Structure formats: structure tokens, C-alpha cells
Amino acid sequence: QVQLVESGGGLVQAGGSLRLACAASGLTSSRYAMGWFRQAPGKQREFVAAISWSGGTTSYADSVKGRFTISRDNAKNTVYVYLQMNSVKPEDTALYYCAARIDTIIPTIKRRPIDYDYWGQGTLVTVSS
């Protein structure tokens, strides 16, 4: 059973940094692409960043490009995915979700929530001004 558990959320001042982590266990394939999404109160879930199963390709939402960095460590049956958040802004306040999907042999990047098969419960990030 695939399980994703996020951690690292909290309260941070604008301009500060935060590092989110996600542990994805129970994986049955080595080709899991990972993504981070976020959802603010009253808004739809939106794409933040994604990384291919190989780690060689990444993609970012325009709103976080240059400030956030996604990375991953592939261990046996467990994938660790990180989101380094720098120069955070009050508009980054949201519940952040880690997501996973089985990718093709040729790595691809997907940005829609519907493209992901597994989700964590989320970790709350609050940025104060």
C-alpha cells in the first residue's frame, strides 16, 4: 500500500525559509514521479513543483520559480521528496500536499492534480507578513 507522509510545515515570517519533506513508502515501481501541490482556503488545489522519477527533470509554477526547489532521494521502496522554500511570501500560505504517480520509462512532468495517483494528508504552511 502506497503511503505518503508530509512534514516540515509551520509558521514562518515573510522572507524566511522552510523545508518540506515527504516520505513515500510502499512503492511497487522505481518509476514514481513526484509533485507538490498546495491549496489555500477557498481556492482550488494548484500545482507547485514536480520532479521526474529519475530526478533529472523538474518543473515549477511561475509563482514559485526561483524561490522553491524540489529534490528527491530514491531509496529501496521509499522515495523522499523535498521542497525547499526560500523568500516565502504571505501568498504562499496554504496546505501543501505531496503526490505520486507512476511514470513512463521516458520521464515526463505532469502539472494537473488529476494526473497523480497517490496523495498525502498535507502539511500546513503559514507565512506571516
Side-chain angles (χ1 to χ4, degrees):
Q1 182 179 354
V2 177
Q3 186 176 15
L4 279 66
V5 179
E6 302 98 334
S7 61
L11 176 64
V12 60
Q13 285 191 328
S17 297
L18 208 60
R19 191 191 195 207
L20 306 184
C22 171
S25 60
L27 304 178
T28 57
S29 168
S30 61
R31 298 200 310 271
Y32 276 89
M34 306 296 294
W36 284 99
F37 291 78
R38 67 186 182 186
Q39 188 166 15
K43 295 188 176 181
Q44 289 189 332
R45 191 169 299 189
E46 65 174 3
F47 170 78
V48 176
I51 188 166
S52 62
W53 64 266
S54 65
T57 303
T58 57
S59 179
Y60 298 92
D62 288 342
S63 58
V64 307
K65 199 173 294 183
R67 300 187 297 121
F68 292 9
T69 302
I70 188 172
S71 60
R72 66 185 290 159
D73 287 326
N74 294 333
K76 185 176 180 180
N77 296 328
T78 301
V79 172
Y80 298 93
V81 185
Y82 306 97
L83 186 69
Q84 178 66 43
M85 305 168 62
N86 296 330
S87 303
V88 295
K89 304 175 181 179
E91 50 263 44
D92 294 324
T93 294
L95 192 59
Y96 282 72
Y97 296 93
C98 176
R101 62 178 185 88
I102 296 178
D103 203 358
T104 57
I105 293 177
I106 298 175
T108 60
I109 291 289
K110 302 290 185 182
R111 299 162 67 101
R112 302 182 305 167
I114 196 173
D115 291 321
Y116 288 77
D117 304 305
Y118 305 99
W119 292 84
Q121 293 299 308
T123 185
L124 182 62
V125 173
T126 304
V127 182
S128 63
S129 56

PDB file of all heavy atoms in Angstrom, residues 7-44:
ATOM      1  N   SER A   7       5.886  16.410   6.073  1.00  0.00           N
ATOM      2  CA  SER A   7       6.317  17.030   7.324  1.00  0.00           C
ATOM      3  C   SER A   7       7.042  18.327   7.000  1.00  0.00           C
ATOM      4  O   SER A   7       7.382  18.586   5.841  1.00  0.00           O
ATOM      5  CB  SER A   7       7.238  16.095   8.115  1.00  0.00           C
ATOM      6  OG  SER A   7       8.398  15.802   7.368  1.00  0.00           O
ATOM      7  N   GLY A   8       7.272  19.134   8.035  1.00  0.00           N
ATOM      8  CA  GLY A   8       8.064  20.338   7.857  1.00  0.00           C
ATOM      9  C   GLY A   8       7.295  21.639   7.795  1.00  0.00           C
ATOM     10  O   GLY A   8       7.898  22.717   7.753  1.00  0.00           O
ATOM     11  N   GLY A   9       5.982  21.551   7.780  1.00  0.00           N
ATOM     12  CA  GLY A   9       5.194  22.772   7.741  1.00  0.00           C
ATOM     13  C   GLY A   9       5.276  23.534   9.055  1.00  0.00           C
ATOM     14  O   GLY A   9       5.760  23.020  10.054  1.00  0.00           O
ATOM     15  N   GLY A  10       4.802  24.771   9.021  1.00  0.00           N
ATOM     16  CA  GLY A  10       4.810  25.571  10.227  1.00  0.00           C
ATOM     17  C   GLY A  10       4.605  27.039   9.923  1.00  0.00           C
ATOM     18  O   GLY A  10       4.220  27.412   8.814  1.00  0.00           O
ATOM     19  N   LEU A  11       4.884  27.848  10.914  1.00  0.00           N
ATOM     20  CA  LEU A  11       4.740  29.301  10.798  1.00  0.00           C
ATOM     21  C   LEU A  11       6.102  29.920  10.507  1.00  0.00           C
ATOM     22  O   LEU A  11       7.083  29.624  11.192  1.00  0.00           O
ATOM     23  CB  LEU A  11       4.171  29.874  12.089  1.00  0.00           C
ATOM     24  CG  LEU A  11       4.029  31.399  12.180  1.00  0.00           C
ATOM     25  CD1 LEU A  11       3.031  31.896  11.143  1.00  0.00           C
ATOM     26  CD2 LEU A  11       3.599  31.805  13.581  1.00  0.00           C
ATOM     27  N   VAL A  12       6.156  30.757   9.484  1.00  0.00           N
ATOM     28  CA  VAL A  12       7.412  31.400   9.095  1.00  0.00           C
ATOM     29  C   VAL A  12       7.113  32.835   8.697  1.00  0.00           C
ATOM     30  O   VAL A  12       6.037  33.133   8.174  1.00  0.00           O
ATOM     31  CB  VAL A  12       8.098  30.624   7.949  1.00  0.00           C
ATOM     32  CG1 VAL A  12       7.223  30.557   6.718  1.00  0.00           C
ATOM     33  CG2 VAL A  12       9.463  31.194   7.634  1.00  0.00           C
ATOM     34  N   GLN A  13       8.065  33.700   8.934  1.00  0.00           N
ATOM     35  CA  GLN A  13       7.893  35.098   8.559  1.00  0.00           C
ATOM     36  C   GLN A  13       8.187  35.293   7.078  1.00  0.00           C
ATOM     37  O   GLN A  13       8.981  34.555   6.486  1.00  0.00           O
ATOM     38  CB  GLN A  13       8.825  35.987   9.379  1.00  0.00           C
ATOM     39  CG  GLN A  13       8.382  36.186  10.816  1.00  0.00           C
ATOM     40  CD  GLN A  13       9.175  37.276  11.521  1.00  0.00           C
ATOM     41  OE1 GLN A  13      10.358  37.481  11.233  1.00  0.00           O
ATOM     42  NE2 GLN A  13       8.542  37.963  12.446  1.00  0.00           N
ATOM     43  N   ALA A  14       7.546  36.270   6.517  1.00  0.00           N
ATOM     44  CA  ALA A  14       7.804  36.592   5.114  1.00  0.00           C
ATOM     45  C   ALA A  14       9.292  36.861   4.913  1.00  0.00           C
ATOM     46  O   ALA A  14       9.936  37.524   5.740  1.00  0.00           O
ATOM     47  CB  ALA A  14       6.982  37.801   4.695  1.00  0.00           C
ATOM     48  N   GLY A  15       9.828  36.300   3.822  1.00  0.00           N
ATOM     49  CA  GLY A  15      11.243  36.415   3.547  1.00  0.00           C
ATOM     50  C   GLY A  15      12.070  35.281   4.101  1.00  0.00           C
ATOM     51  O   GLY A  15      13.251  35.146   3.756  1.00  0.00           O
ATOM     52  N   GLY A  16      11.480  34.470   4.936  1.00  0.00           N
ATOM     53  CA  GLY A  16      12.181  33.351   5.546  1.00  0.00           C
ATOM     54  C   GLY A  16      12.165  32.105   4.682  1.00  0.00           C
ATOM     55  O   GLY A  16      11.758  32.138   3.509  1.00  0.00           O
ATOM     56  N   SER A  17      12.631  31.016   5.269  1.00  0.00           N
ATOM     57  CA  SER A  17      12.741  29.748   4.539  1.00  0.00           C
ATOM     58  C   SER A  17      12.100  28.620   5.327  1.00  0.00           C
ATOM     59  O   SER A  17      12.000  28.672   6.557  1.00  0.00           O
ATOM     60  CB  SER A  17      14.216  29.407   4.281  1.00  0.00           C
ATOM     61  OG  SER A  17      14.827  30.364   3.466  1.00  0.00           O
ATOM     62  N   LEU A  18      11.713  27.590   4.587  1.00  0.00           N
ATOM     63  CA  LEU A  18      11.113  26.406   5.171  1.00  0.00           C
ATOM     64  C   LEU A  18      11.424  25.240   4.253  1.00  0.00           C
ATOM     65  O   LEU A  18      11.483  25.412   3.023  1.00  0.00           O
ATOM     66  CB  LEU A  18       9.599  26.596   5.301  1.00  0.00           C
ATOM     67  CG  LEU A  18       8.840  25.847   6.398  1.00  0.00           C
ATOM     68  CD1 LEU A  18       9.358  26.239   7.768  1.00  0.00           C
ATOM     69  CD2 LEU A  18       7.355  26.164   6.303  1.00  0.00           C
ATOM     70  N   ARG A  19      11.614  24.071   4.823  1.00  0.00           N
ATOM     71  CA  ARG A  19      11.858  22.884   4.012  1.00  0.00           C
ATOM     72  C   ARG A  19      10.811  21.824   4.321  1.00  0.00           C
ATOM     73  O   ARG A  19      10.724  21.331   5.443  1.00  0.00           O
ATOM     74  CB  ARG A  19      13.257  22.314   4.287  1.00  0.00           C
ATOM     75  CG  ARG A  19      13.669  21.239   3.286  1.00  0.00           C
ATOM     76  CD  ARG A  19      14.918  20.540   3.744  1.00  0.00           C
ATOM     77  NE  ARG A  19      15.532  19.754   2.677  1.00  0.00           N
ATOM     78  CZ  ARG A  19      16.283  18.679   2.885  1.00  0.00           C
ATOM     79  NH1 ARG A  19      16.519  18.266   4.117  1.00  0.00           N
ATOM     80  NH2 ARG A  19      16.819  18.021   1.872  1.00  0.00           N
ATOM     81  N   LEU A  20      10.031  21.488   3.316  1.00  0.00           N
ATOM     82  CA  LEU A  20       9.043  20.427   3.453  1.00  0.00           C
ATOM     83  C   LEU A  20       9.651  19.108   3.012  1.00  0.00           C
ATOM     84  O   LEU A  20      10.499  19.075   2.117  1.00  0.00           O
ATOM     85  CB  LEU A  20       7.810  20.725   2.607  1.00  0.00           C
ATOM     86  CG  LEU A  20       7.129  22.076   2.829  1.00  0.00           C
ATOM     87  CD1 LEU A  20       5.864  22.160   1.977  1.00  0.00           C
ATOM     88  CD2 LEU A  20       6.817  22.306   4.289  1.00  0.00           C
ATOM     89  N   ALA A  21       9.193  18.041   3.646  1.00  0.00           N
ATOM     90  CA  ALA A  21       9.651  16.707   3.289  1.00  0.00           C
ATOM     91  C   ALA A  21       8.456  15.784   3.100  1.00  0.00           C
ATOM     92  O   ALA A  21       7.405  15.975   3.720  1.00  0.00           O
ATOM     93  CB  ALA A  21      10.572  16.155   4.366  1.00  0.00           C
ATOM     94  N   CYS A  22       8.628  14.804   2.254  1.00  0.00           N
ATOM     95  CA  CYS A  22       7.598  13.800   2.007  1.00  0.00           C
ATOM     96  C   CYS A  22       8.261  12.440   1.908  1.00  0.00           C
ATOM     97  O   CYS A  22       9.223  12.274   1.160  1.00  0.00           O
ATOM     98  CB  CYS A  22       6.851  14.122   0.721  1.00  0.00           C
ATOM     99  SG  CYS A  22       5.712  12.825   0.156  1.00  0.00           S
ATOM    100  N   ALA A  23       7.755  11.492   2.669  1.00  0.00           N
ATOM    101  CA  ALA A  23       8.234  10.119   2.600  1.00  0.00           C
ATOM    102  C   ALA A  23       7.166   9.275   1.937  1.00  0.00           C
ATOM    103  O   ALA A  23       6.057   9.153   2.473  1.00  0.00           O
ATOM    104  CB  ALA A  23       8.552   9.587   3.989  1.00  0.00           C
ATOM    105  N   ALA A  24       7.493   8.713   0.790  1.00  0.00           N
ATOM    106  CA  ALA A  24       6.561   7.878   0.044  1.00  0.00           C
ATOM    107  C   ALA A  24       7.018   6.433   0.168  1.00  0.00           C
ATOM    108  O   ALA A  24       8.067   6.060  -0.364  1.00  0.00           O
ATOM    109  CB  ALA A  24       6.519   8.309  -1.416  1.00  0.00           C
ATOM    110  N   SER A  25       6.230   5.614   0.849  1.00  0.00           N
ATOM    111  CA  SER A  25       6.594   4.226   1.081  1.00  0.00           C
ATOM    112  C   SER A  25       5.601   3.280   0.411  1.00  0.00           C
ATOM    113  O   SER A  25       4.543   3.707  -0.046  1.00  0.00           O
ATOM    114  CB  SER A  25       6.638   3.935   2.578  1.00  0.00           C
ATOM    115  OG  SER A  25       5.368   4.175   3.163  1.00  0.00           O
ATOM    116  N   GLY A  26       5.990   2.000   0.352  1.00  0.00           N
ATOM    117  CA  GLY A  26       5.120   1.006  -0.266  1.00  0.00           C
ATOM    118  C   GLY A  26       5.102   1.076  -1.782  1.00  0.00           C
ATOM    119  O   GLY A  26       4.197   0.534  -2.412  1.00  0.00           O
ATOM    120  N   LEU A  27       6.101   1.692  -2.361  1.00  0.00           N
ATOM    121  CA  LEU A  27       6.131   1.849  -3.807  1.00  0.00           C
ATOM    122  C   LEU A  27       6.478   0.516  -4.471  1.00  0.00           C
ATOM    123  O   LEU A  27       7.357  -0.198  -4.016  1.00  0.00           O
ATOM    124  CB  LEU A  27       7.152   2.914  -4.195  1.00  0.00           C
ATOM    125  CG  LEU A  27       6.943   4.284  -3.549  1.00  0.00           C
ATOM    126  CD1 LEU A  27       8.029   5.243  -3.974  1.00  0.00           C
ATOM    127  CD2 LEU A  27       5.571   4.826  -3.914  1.00  0.00           C
ATOM    128  N   THR A  28       5.798   0.227  -5.546  1.00  0.00           N
ATOM    129  CA  THR A  28       5.986  -1.054  -6.234  1.00  0.00           C
ATOM    130  C   THR A  28       6.732  -0.902  -7.534  1.00  0.00           C
ATOM    131  O   THR A  28       6.927  -1.874  -8.261  1.00  0.00           O
ATOM    132  CB  THR A  28       4.623  -1.701  -6.509  1.00  0.00           C
ATOM    133  OG1 THR A  28       3.843  -0.782  -7.284  1.00  0.00           O
ATOM    134  CG2 THR A  28       3.900  -2.013  -5.211  1.00  0.00           C
ATOM    135  N   SER A  29       7.132   0.287  -7.833  1.00  0.00           N
ATOM    136  CA  SER A  29       7.875   0.553  -9.062  1.00  0.00           C
ATOM    137  C   SER A  29       8.978   1.557  -8.756  1.00  0.00           C
ATOM    138  O   SER A  29       8.880   2.329  -7.799  1.00  0.00           O
ATOM    139  CB  SER A  29       6.945   1.104 -10.142  1.00  0.00           C
ATOM    140  OG  SER A  29       7.673   1.613 -11.237  1.00  0.00           O
ATOM    141  N   SER A  30       9.996   1.567  -9.570  1.00  0.00           N
ATOM    142  CA  SER A  30      11.063   2.553  -9.400  1.00  0.00           C
ATOM    143  C   SER A  30      10.753   3.831 -10.158  1.00  0.00           C
ATOM    144  O   SER A  30      11.477   4.809 -10.045  1.00  0.00           O
ATOM    145  CB  SER A  30      12.393   1.974  -9.898  1.00  0.00           C
ATOM    146  OG  SER A  30      12.298   1.645 -11.280  1.00  0.00           O
ATOM    147  N   ARG A  31       9.650   3.826 -10.912  1.00  0.00           N
ATOM    148  CA  ARG A  31       9.368   4.982 -11.778  1.00  0.00           C
ATOM    149  C   ARG A  31       8.221   5.818 -11.228  1.00  0.00           C
ATOM    150  O   ARG A  31       7.215   6.027 -11.902  1.00  0.00           O
ATOM    151  CB  ARG A  31       9.054   4.519 -13.186  1.00  0.00           C
ATOM    152  CG  ARG A  31      10.189   3.777 -13.881  1.00  0.00           C
ATOM    153  CD  ARG A  31       9.993   3.785 -15.385  1.00  0.00           C
ATOM    154  NE  ARG A  31       8.654   3.347 -15.743  1.00  0.00           N
ATOM    155  CZ  ARG A  31       8.317   2.085 -15.949  1.00  0.00           C
ATOM    156  NH1 ARG A  31       9.221   1.137 -15.781  1.00  0.00           N
ATOM    157  NH2 ARG A  31       7.093   1.759 -16.311  1.00  0.00           N
ATOM    158  N   TYR A  32       8.364   6.324 -10.025  1.00  0.00           N
ATOM    159  CA  TYR A  32       7.358   7.213  -9.463  1.00  0.00           C
ATOM    160  C   TYR A  32       7.808   8.662  -9.615  1.00  0.00           C
ATOM    161  O   TYR A  32       8.805   9.080  -9.038  1.00  0.00           O
ATOM    162  CB  TYR A  32       7.127   6.908  -7.984  1.00  0.00           C
ATOM    163  CG  TYR A  32       6.140   5.789  -7.752  1.00  0.00           C
ATOM    164  CD1 TYR A  32       6.580   4.472  -7.683  1.00  0.00           C
ATOM    165  CD2 TYR A  32       4.784   6.051  -7.630  1.00  0.00           C
ATOM    166  CE1 TYR A  32       5.678   3.444  -7.487  1.00  0.00           C
ATOM    167  CE2 TYR A  32       3.877   5.017  -7.425  1.00  0.00           C
ATOM    168  CZ  TYR A  32       4.336   3.722  -7.367  1.00  0.00           C
ATOM    169  OH  TYR A  32       3.444   2.704  -7.177  1.00  0.00           O
ATOM    170  N   ALA A  33       7.053   9.418 -10.395  1.00  0.00           N
ATOM    171  CA  ALA A  33       7.254  10.864 -10.457  1.00  0.00           C
ATOM    172  C   ALA A  33       6.524  11.487  -9.271  1.00  0.00           C
ATOM    173  O   ALA A  33       5.488  10.971  -8.827  1.00  0.00           O
ATOM    174  CB  ALA A  33       6.710  11.412 -11.767  1.00  0.00           C
ATOM    175  N   MET A  34       7.076  12.575  -8.762  1.00  0.00           N
ATOM    176  CA  MET A  34       6.525  13.183  -7.558  1.00  0.00           C
ATOM    177  C   MET A  34       6.180  14.645  -7.803  1.00  0.00           C
ATOM    178  O   MET A  34       6.801  15.313  -8.650  1.00  0.00           O
ATOM    179  CB  MET A  34       7.546  13.091  -6.421  1.00  0.00           C
ATOM    180  CG  MET A  34       8.058  11.682  -6.149  1.00  0.00           C
ATOM    181  SD  MET A  34       6.773  10.564  -5.576  1.00  0.00           S
ATOM    182  CE  MET A  34       6.377  11.308  -3.983  1.00  0.00           C
ATOM    183  N   GLY A  35       5.230  15.125  -7.028  1.00  0.00           N
ATOM    184  CA  GLY A  35       4.850  16.516  -7.156  1.00  0.00           C
ATOM    185  C   GLY A  35       4.440  17.123  -5.831  1.00  0.00           C
ATOM    186  O   GLY A  35       4.094  16.403  -4.889  1.00  0.00           O
ATOM    187  N   TRP A  36       4.498  18.426  -5.775  1.00  0.00           N
ATOM    188  CA  TRP A  36       3.975  19.195  -4.644  1.00  0.00           C
ATOM    189  C   TRP A  36       2.851  20.090  -5.163  1.00  0.00           C
ATOM    190  O   TRP A  36       3.002  20.753  -6.203  1.00  0.00           O
ATOM    191  CB  TRP A  36       5.049  20.069  -4.021  1.00  0.00           C
ATOM    192  CG  TRP A  36       6.038  19.327  -3.167  1.00  0.00           C
ATOM    193  CD1 TRP A  36       7.280  18.902  -3.524  1.00  0.00           C
ATOM    194  CD2 TRP A  36       5.858  18.931  -1.800  1.00  0.00           C
ATOM    195  NE1 TRP A  36       7.894  18.266  -2.462  1.00  0.00           N
ATOM    196  CE2 TRP A  36       7.043  18.272  -1.395  1.00  0.00           C
ATOM    197  CE3 TRP A  36       4.826  19.079  -0.862  1.00  0.00           C
ATOM    198  CZ2 TRP A  36       7.207  17.758  -0.102  1.00  0.00           C
ATOM    199  CZ3 TRP A  36       4.997  18.556   0.408  1.00  0.00           C
ATOM    200  CH2 TRP A  36       6.172  17.914   0.780  1.00  0.00           C
ATOM    201  N   PHE A  37       1.760  20.082  -4.424  1.00  0.00           N
ATOM    202  CA  PHE A  37       0.622  20.939  -4.730  1.00  0.00           C
ATOM    203  C   PHE A  37       0.266  21.696  -3.462  1.00  0.00           C
ATOM    204  O   PHE A  37       0.701  21.339  -2.367  1.00  0.00           O
ATOM    205  CB  PHE A  37      -0.580  20.110  -5.189  1.00  0.00           C
ATOM    206  CG  PHE A  37      -0.383  19.470  -6.525  1.00  0.00           C
ATOM    207  CD1 PHE A  37       0.381  18.317  -6.665  1.00  0.00           C
ATOM    208  CD2 PHE A  37      -0.959  20.006  -7.667  1.00  0.00           C
ATOM    209  CE1 PHE A  37       0.572  17.716  -7.903  1.00  0.00           C
ATOM    210  CE2 PHE A  37      -0.785  19.420  -8.913  1.00  0.00           C
ATOM    211  CZ  PHE A  37      -0.011  18.273  -9.029  1.00  0.00           C
ATOM    212  N   ARG A  38      -0.536  22.739  -3.598  1.00  0.00           N
ATOM    213  CA  ARG A  38      -0.978  23.467  -2.418  1.00  0.00           C
ATOM    214  C   ARG A  38      -2.410  23.946  -2.609  1.00  0.00           C
ATOM    215  O   ARG A  38      -2.875  24.108  -3.745  1.00  0.00           O
ATOM    216  CB  ARG A  38      -0.057  24.650  -2.128  1.00  0.00           C
ATOM    217  CG  ARG A  38      -0.082  25.765  -3.167  1.00  0.00           C
ATOM    218  CD  ARG A  38       0.977  26.800  -2.853  1.00  0.00           C
ATOM    219  NE  ARG A  38       0.973  27.906  -3.794  1.00  0.00           N
ATOM    220  CZ  ARG A  38       1.872  28.885  -3.808  1.00  0.00           C
ATOM    221  NH1 ARG A  38       2.870  28.884  -2.916  1.00  0.00           N
ATOM    222  NH2 ARG A  38       1.781  29.848  -4.704  1.00  0.00           N
ATOM    223  N   GLN A  39      -3.053  24.138  -1.474  1.00  0.00           N
ATOM    224  CA  GLN A  39      -4.434  24.605  -1.517  1.00  0.00           C
ATOM    225  C   GLN A  39      -4.647  25.611  -0.392  1.00  0.00           C
ATOM    226  O   GLN A  39      -4.509  25.272   0.788  1.00  0.00           O
ATOM    227  CB  GLN A  39      -5.418  23.440  -1.384  1.00  0.00           C
ATOM    228  CG  GLN A  39      -6.858  23.834  -1.607  1.00  0.00           C
ATOM    229  CD  GLN A  39      -7.753  22.631  -1.808  1.00  0.00           C
ATOM    230  OE1 GLN A  39      -7.396  21.489  -1.519  1.00  0.00           O
ATOM    231  NE2 GLN A  39      -8.948  22.862  -2.338  1.00  0.00           N
ATOM    232  N   ALA A  40      -4.966  26.818  -0.774  1.00  0.00           N
ATOM    233  CA  ALA A  40      -5.269  27.874   0.189  1.00  0.00           C
ATOM    234  C   ALA A  40      -6.763  27.862   0.475  1.00  0.00           C
ATOM    235  O   ALA A  40      -7.562  27.378  -0.350  1.00  0.00           O
ATOM    236  CB  ALA A  40      -4.833  29.221  -0.370  1.00  0.00           C
ATOM    237  N   PRO A  41      -7.179  28.387   1.604  1.00  0.00           N
ATOM    238  CA  PRO A  41      -8.609  28.409   1.945  1.00  0.00           C
ATOM    239  C   PRO A  41      -9.440  29.086   0.856  1.00  0.00           C
ATOM    240  O   PRO A  41      -9.100  30.179   0.402  1.00  0.00           O
ATOM    241  CB  PRO A  41      -8.643  29.210   3.247  1.00  0.00           C
ATOM    242  CG  PRO A  41      -7.303  29.013   3.848  1.00  0.00           C
ATOM    243  CD  PRO A  41      -6.347  28.945   2.685  1.00  0.00           C
ATOM    244  N   GLY A  42     -10.494  28.402   0.428  1.00  0.00           N
ATOM    245  CA  GLY A  42     -11.384  28.959  -0.565  1.00  0.00           C
ATOM    246  C   GLY A  42     -10.872  28.898  -1.990  1.00  0.00           C
ATOM    247  O   GLY A  42     -11.517  29.421  -2.899  1.00  0.00           O
ATOM    248  N   LYS A  43      -9.723  28.262  -2.192  1.00  0.00           N
ATOM    249  CA  LYS A  43      -9.148  28.176  -3.534  1.00  0.00           C
ATOM    250  C   LYS A  43      -8.980  26.724  -3.959  1.00  0.00           C
ATOM    251  O   LYS A  43      -8.997  25.811  -3.146  1.00  0.00           O
ATOM    252  CB  LYS A  43      -7.804  28.906  -3.581  1.00  0.00           C
ATOM    253  CG  LYS A  43      -7.906  30.402  -3.359  1.00  0.00           C
ATOM    254  CD  LYS A  43      -6.582  31.083  -3.614  1.00  0.00           C
ATOM    255  CE  LYS A  43      -6.707  32.587  -3.484  1.00  0.00           C
ATOM    256  NZ  LYS A  43      -5.404  33.263  -3.770  1.00  0.00           N
ATOM    257  N   GLN A  44      -8.797  26.538  -5.249  1.00  0.00           N
ATOM    258  CA  GLN A  44      -8.569  25.197  -5.778  1.00  0.00           C
ATOM    259  C   GLN A  44      -7.128  24.758  -5.522  1.00  0.00           C
ATOM    260  O   GLN A  44      -6.229  25.592  -5.358  1.00  0.00           O
ATOM    261  CB  GLN A  44      -8.862  25.183  -7.285  1.00  0.00           C
ATOM    262  CG  GLN A  44     -10.333  25.305  -7.633  1.00  0.00           C
ATOM    263  CD  GLN A  44     -10.580  25.072  -9.110  1.00  0.00           C
ATOM    264  OE1 GLN A  44      -9.717  25.311  -9.949  1.00  0.00           O
ATOM    265  NE2 GLN A  44     -11.761  24.608  -9.433  1.00  0.00           N
TER     266      GLN A  44
END
